[in-house]
Amino acid sequence: VQLQASGGGLVQAGGSLKLSCAASGRTLSSYGMGWFRQAPGKEREFVAAIRRSAGSTMYADSVKGRFTISRDNAKSTVYLQMNSLKPEDTAVYYCAAGPPGLNSGSYIYTSTYGYWGQGTLVTVSS
């Protein structure tokens, strides 16, 4: 499966952005999906994940209550709605596809995911 992330940009603190991750080559409904981010000089970190059954979502503590992950399997697209953005949210955001169930605890690890998009840059100004 090929993943294409989009929707990044420059936004002021307190603003919102919605990222999209479109899949091609294979239906997205076969996968659990995750969003990760990587700030300059830092390791890639988990942001949010959603199991194939879209009722199950997981978030990093740093974004809980501000970010929402969702999926539209018919459109083979996963979204990350980001509200109340902070300067520390500045990073390149990556979407990733992994096992449909994303076993408990495994979804935070980059090694769980076999497919990655190219990343989209989010810059939050203070």
Side-chain angles (χ1 to χ4, degrees):
V1 63
Q2 292 80 44
L3 303 175
Q4 180 75 36
S6 62
L10 174 64
V11 64
Q12 288 188 334
S16 298
L17 279 175
K18 186 173 185 177
L19 306 184
S20 299
C21 175
S24 60
R26 189 172 178 180
T27 177
L28 200 62
S29 61
S30 301
Y31 299 95
M33 299 296 297
W35 284 98
F36 286 73
R37 67 187 181 187
Q38 188 166 17
K42 295 187 176 182
E43 292 188 353
R44 195 169 297 189
E45 65 174 4
F46 169 75
V47 175
I50 185 167
R51 293 191 171 102
R52 183 174 62 178
S53 56
S56 184
T57 58
M58 295 76 74
Y59 298 93
D61 288 344
S62 59
V63 306
K64 201 172 293 183
R66 299 188 298 123
F67 290 11
T68 302
I69 187 172
S70 61
R71 66 191 299 160
D72 185 335
N73 287 337
K75 295 183 178 179
S76 280
T77 303
V78 173
Y79 304 98
L80 185 69
Q81 176 68 48
M82 305 186 296
N83 298 328
S84 302
L85 282 161
K86 305 175 181 180
E88 52 263 43
D89 294 318
T90 295
V92 177
Y93 284 71
Y94 299 88
C95 60
L102 291 176
N103 293 334
S104 178
S106 69
Y107 52 82
I108 66 172
Y109 300 111
T110 56
S111 57
T112 296
Y113 302 83
Y115 304 93
W116 291 83
Q118 87 290 358
T120 185
L121 176 62
V122 172
T123 304
V124 184
S125 63
S126 57

